[in-house]
Amino acid sequence: MAGFRALAREARNPGNTIALRRTSLRKCLERFAPYGHRATWHHLCAQAGFAPDDRSPDPARLVRALAELEEAREVWLAYEAEFAGRRRREKHDGIRQPGAVDEWHRNTWGGCDIVPCATPSLAPRARLADVLRRVITAMESAPGDHCPVCAQDRIEWHTDLERYPLEGPVCADCGIVVPVAVLTPAALSAARRYAFEPRYAAV
């Protein structure tokens, strides 16, 4: 099975048909998809300027989408290397109990669903690399009351997410499932109130 770099070369290769290059880019998302496969694809297409169902996109736009994905992957690989080094040092020092960052990282190892989006059609407008940097910074900082990506405070608790986590706080502005560890107890309580208010209002 081809790895990310081999697939990226096929997607960039001007000697391949545009259909093969598009397929190769889609397969790259099986190796690295920060928002989840569908949401990452929708985001890349929107940023590069072609429709998700376009079977023969402009090659330059396809390469633009690939470049954004590769940039984000470099950010993530650097973080994984730093994280692995930190855990080795902690274990050497006798710190065995994993923290909140470790729990989040264990479920994002490999680069898929790092910052999952509740729906494919709503994702942050910033570049993937910038979004990953913001989330990593938030995970390594004290919890806050706002979305770590767009800084908005309209966060709502969803109980019907399609994959892990099956429920959690979702930013109503940029659409990401916000890691629980980056939010204060007050922000999480407010998010849960959003989920239950319509239910009680109907009674």
Side-chain angles (χ1 to χ4, degrees), residues 86-99:
R86 179 177 64 80
R87 285 300 294 144
R88 282 195 297 272
R89 292 191 297 272
E90 288 177 347
K91 289 179 180 179
H92 181 268
D93 294 338
I95 303 173
R96 299 284 175 174
Q97 185 65 33

Side-chain angles (χ1 to χ4, degrees), residues 155-157 189-203:
I155 299 172
E156 304 171 0
W157 192 269
S189 295
R192 289 188 174 94
R193 282 199 300 274
Y194 280 123
F196 294 114
E197 275 176 359
R199 201 176 302 175
Y200 291 125
V203 175

Side-chain angles (χ1 to χ4, degrees), residues 4-200:
F4 182 94
R5 287 190 178 91
L7 290 167
R9 283 195 297 270
E10 291 299 304
R12 187 172 272 111
N13 186 351
N16 290 335
T17 65
I18 192 60
L20 176 58
R21 295 175 68 180
R22 179 185 182 276
T23 297
S24 297
L25 177 58
R26 287 298 299 262
K27 286 185 177 179
C28 283
L29 301 184
E30 296 173 7
R31 312 297 188 275
F32 181 72
Y35 297 155
H37 190 286
R38 290 176 61 212
T40 303
W41 177 249
H42 277 252
H43 168 82
L44 291 174
C45 293
Q47 294 288 90
F50 61 93
D53 58 353
D54 186 348
R55 298 293 173 179
S56 55
D58 178 82
R61 295 177 187 272
L62 194 74
V63 170
R64 192 180 309 158
L66 174 61
E68 179 173 352
L69 188 65
E70 289 176 317
E71 178 191 18
R73 185 169 179 267
E74 289 303 311
V75 170
W76 185 247
L77 290 177
Y79 170 71
E80 285 197 330
E82 189 280 330
F83 178 89
R86 179 177 64 80
R87 285 300 294 144
R88 282 195 297 272
R89 292 191 297 272
E90 288 177 347
K91 289 179 180 179
H92 181 268
D93 294 338
I95 303 173
R96 299 284 175 174
Q97 185 65 33
V101 175
D102 304 86
E103 176 67 22
W104 171 70
H105 190 269
R106 183 166 55 251
N107 288 298
T108 58
W109 184 264
C112 290
D113 291 319
I114 301 168
V115 192
C117 292
T119 61
S121 58
L122 180 60
R125 288 181 290 275
R127 291 180 66 81
L128 284 170
D130 292 334
V131 169
L132 292 183
R133 291 188 188 100
R134 292 172 194 173
V135 172
I136 290 168
T137 297
M139 292 299 296
E140 296 175 343
S141 306
D145 296 321
H146 300 82
C147 171
V149 173
C150 67
Q152 300 300 315
D153 60 2
R154 294 200 318 140
I155 299 172
E156 304 171 0
W157 192 269
H158 286 221
T159 58
D160 55 353
L161 302 177
E162 293 183 358
R163 56 193 175 276
Y164 183 88
L166 297 177
E167 63 176 303
V170 174
C171 177
D173 286 275
C174 72
I176 70 159
V177 180
V178 183
V180 170
V182 308
L183 295 173
T184 63
L188 289 170
S189 295
R192 289 188 174 94
R193 282 199 300 274
Y194 280 123
F196 294 114
E197 275 176 359
R199 201 176 302 175
Y200 291 125

